[in-house]
Amino acid sequence: MSAAARPFWRTLPWRLTLAFVLVSALALGIVGLASYASTRAEFNTLLGAQAREQLASEVQTYVSAHGTVQGFRPAPPLQDAAPGGVGGPFRGGPGGDGRRHGPFVVLDTARRALYSTPEVTGGQAVQGGPLTPVRVNGQLVAYLAPSGARPRPDARSAEFLARTTRAIAWAMLGAVGLAVLTGMLLARSFLQPLQQLLVGIHALQRGETPTALASRRADEFGEVLSAFDDMHASVTRNQRARQQLTANIAHDLNTPLAVVSGTLEGMLDGTFRVTPERLGRLHRETAHIAQLVNDLRFLSLADAGELKMQRRPTDLLPLLEDAVGTFRERAEAAGVTLGVDGPADLPTVAVDGVRLTQVMQNLLSNALTYTPSGGRVQVRVERAGEAVRVTVQDSGVGLAPGAVPHVFDRLYRADGARSSGGSGLGLSICRSIVEAHGGHIALSSVEGQGTTVVFELPLAVG
């Protein structure tokens, strides 16, 4: 479903914004309710303390005036008092009217209630509970005990609580609005790399080259964009390599086929006579085609991981000596010194002897091909830590510096001097075989001084 056809509530910006709003509303709701409850509780505590102090003052005033606490009645709460009637004796009956009472009741020194409240009957002894002693000139005259009634705020206090509640509510509403705005901005910022990535993917689907997505972001989105750029560059390189490989294969097959076809046509129409030389050339060209096809099949199996290896513990020095021995006659004919050396106590290596011999044949063939008369090709084997290292070094013409990084590319030919003969797949096959053994291979070369190929194979376990 395209972005244009997708309902807005199924888009990531909407969902991210909604998530911000829900999380913010939940957090702010909890904070707002906690703030309201805390403010209310603290305010009630303050009102209770004020009521206790006021009642104690009334008792002290009454005792100072009458010499006893008996007959004391508290003044009605401020909001219930008549205008100008703040303080003074309580206007209810001796047993209390049950309508006007504060959060405390007055007890005499024997802890009996002086008047009635909804919870305490006048004359009832009150035991336990937090009692506040009331003294006049240092003499205990009464106690104040909680009556069970909640303190009632006056009009100004009630208005203060209402304003505080409204302020908290407006603050919560403003914070939610800010959360919506922040959610929209963050969603846009977060999703911008995804939009860039989507544009790049669509460009690839259309076969176009996407704009580089290199981002300055250092977060995970930046890593995703960089990974996409790297992937695109890798895909582009692989496409070009495949195109070049296809062109090279077509060229390498077309050239001998053209020779074979032209020669056969000439023989058929009588232009060419059938001679042993022409038949030998046809045989060499068909052998070259067969070798190229076999090499390509070998590499395709290696790429698919289907290259079968018959690995067994092998003493490498005799294997290398046998491989060198097959090239000794060719080396002598070319005037090149060919040698092999290595320690006799070399540990064994688990290798496929046939495949490893194929590696050595490719390397020795290359070395002898590009080493002029009077030169030297030396094979050396030695232990290198937990591996065995094999070095094939020649004193031949060497390679240009720009050619070295590409020598393992398939069908790569460095220059005209090195393009004579061969399929251009030898080193690629060597690398596939060495890597199939868990090893690695490298080549270094100095133009005019020679080339060195080194590969290492891990020692046999146990």
Side-chain angles (χ1 to χ4, degrees):
M1 180 181 293
S2 65
R6 187 183 301 118
F8 76 92
W9 60 84
R10 297 185 63 181
T11 62
L12 279 179
W14 163 254
R15 293 182 178 182
L16 282 175
T17 302
L18 183 61
F20 272 103
V21 172
L22 292 179
V23 172
S24 301
L26 179 62
L28 291 171
I30 293 175
V31 172
L33 290 176
S35 299
Y36 173 76
S38 176
T39 302
R40 187 88 181 180
E42 292 296 328
F43 199 79
N44 287 338
T45 301
L46 176 63
L47 291 178
Q50 290 178 344
R52 183 174 61 244
E53 293 177 359
Q54 180 182 355
L55 185 57
S57 176
E58 291 177 8
V59 171
Q60 290 170 337
T61 302
Y62 184 86
V63 172
S64 298
H66 298 82
T68 179
V69 75
Q70 297 300 325
F72 172 82
R73 297 293 183 273
L78 185 60
Q79 62 274 24
D80 294 334
V86 176
F90 184 61
R91 292 183 176 82
D97 58 8
R99 293 183 295 108
R100 304 187 185 108
H101 54 84
F104 294 94
V105 62
V106 181
L107 311 179
D108 60 14
T109 54
R111 301 188 178 185
R112 293 188 296 270
L114 295 179
Y115 49 88
S116 296
T117 68
E119 291 78 16
V120 180
T121 304
Q124 177 185 347
V126 176
Q127 302 295 333
L131 300 179
T132 303
V134 180
R135 302 178 188 278
V136 175
N137 297 327
Q139 183 178 359
L140 180 66
V141 296
Y143 289 102
L144 302 183
S147 66
R150 300 179 60 183
R152 301 174 57 189
D154 56 21
R156 294 180 59 187
S157 298
E159 178 61 22
F160 171 77
L161 283 177
R163 287 200 305 269
T164 302
T165 302
R166 286 195 297 270
I168 293 174
W170 279 112
M172 292 173 58
L173 187 60
V176 170
L178 185 61
V180 172
L181 181 60
T182 304
M184 294 174 65
L185 294 176
L186 289 178
R188 180 179 180 183
S189 175
F190 286 163
L191 298 179
Q192 185 177 10
L194 294 182
Q195 293 294 335
Q196 291 180 274
L197 186 61
L198 186 61
V199 171
I201 292 174
H202 287 166
L204 283 178
Q205 290 175 336
R206 295 191 298 268
E208 301 173 357
T209 301
T211 305
L213 302 181
S215 174
R216 295 180 180 178
R217 299 177 66 122
D219 55 11
E220 288 78 359
F221 285 116
E223 294 179 3
V224 170
L225 295 181
S226 297
F228 177 81
D229 281 341
D230 294 341
M231 181 197 70
H232 172 247
S234 177
V235 169
T236 302
R237 284 196 301 271
N238 291 336
Q239 287 177 341
R240 291 174 180 172
R242 283 197 299 271
Q243 292 171 353
Q244 184 63 41
L245 179 62
T246 303
N248 290 340
I249 291 173
H251 176 269
D252 280 24
L253 289 176
N254 184 64
T255 300
L257 284 175
V259 172
V260 172
S261 177
T263 303
L264 289 176
E265 287 179 0
M267 290 179 177
L268 290 174
D269 62 16
T271 304
F272 296 153
R273 289 188 298 112
V274 179
T275 62
E277 292 76 12
R278 288 195 173 94
L279 291 176
R281 187 169 61 215
L282 290 176
H283 180 265
R284 288 193 298 273
E285 295 297 341
T286 53
H288 175 75
I289 294 173
Q291 182 63 42
L292 179 59
V293 171
N294 287 334
D295 289 348
L296 291 172
R297 181 174 180 276
F298 178 91
L299 289 174
S300 67
L301 291 175
D303 291 342
E306 298 177 354
L307 192 61
K308 295 181 179 179
M309 309 292 286
Q310 303 295 329
R311 301 175 62 176
R312 55 179 58 91
T314 304
D315 188 350
L316 280 189
L317 185 56
L319 186 148
L320 297 179
E321 289 175 340
D322 289 343
V324 169
T326 60
F327 284 86
R328 200 169 296 282
E329 184 176 349
R330 175 181 169 183
E332 291 175 356
V336 176
T337 302
L338 178 60
V340 57
D341 64 80
D345 58 346
L346 199 67
T348 60
V349 182
V351 299
D352 184 325
V354 176
R355 297 300 183 189
L356 194 60
T357 298
Q358 186 179 0
V359 172
M360 291 305 301
Q361 288 173 344
N362 283 331
L363 297 180
L364 289 171
S365 178
N366 283 342
L368 291 175
T369 299
Y370 302 111
T371 300
S373 177
R376 182 178 182 82
V377 175
Q378 183 65 34
V379 177
R380 184 169 55 256
V381 58
E382 58 189 342
R383 179 167 183 170
E386 296 301 318
V388 171
R389 177 184 298 153
V390 178
T391 304
V392 179
Q393 184 175 23
D394 68 63
S395 59
V397 296
L399 291 167
V404 173
H406 306 288
V407 292
F408 291 104
D409 295 347
R410 295 172 186 180
L411 297 174
Y412 176 79
R413 291 176 173 81
D415 50 43
R418 298 185 66 88
S419 63
S420 58
S423 63
L425 295 171
L427 288 178
S428 298
I429 291 174
C430 289
R431 183 172 63 180
S432 296
I433 294 174
V434 171
E435 291 180 349
H437 283 83
H440 59 86
I441 186 170
L443 180 147
S444 60
S445 182
V446 178
E447 192 169 13
Q449 297 184 19
T451 300
T452 301
V453 180
V454 178
F455 66 88
E456 293 184 352
L457 301 171
L459 294 177
V461 178

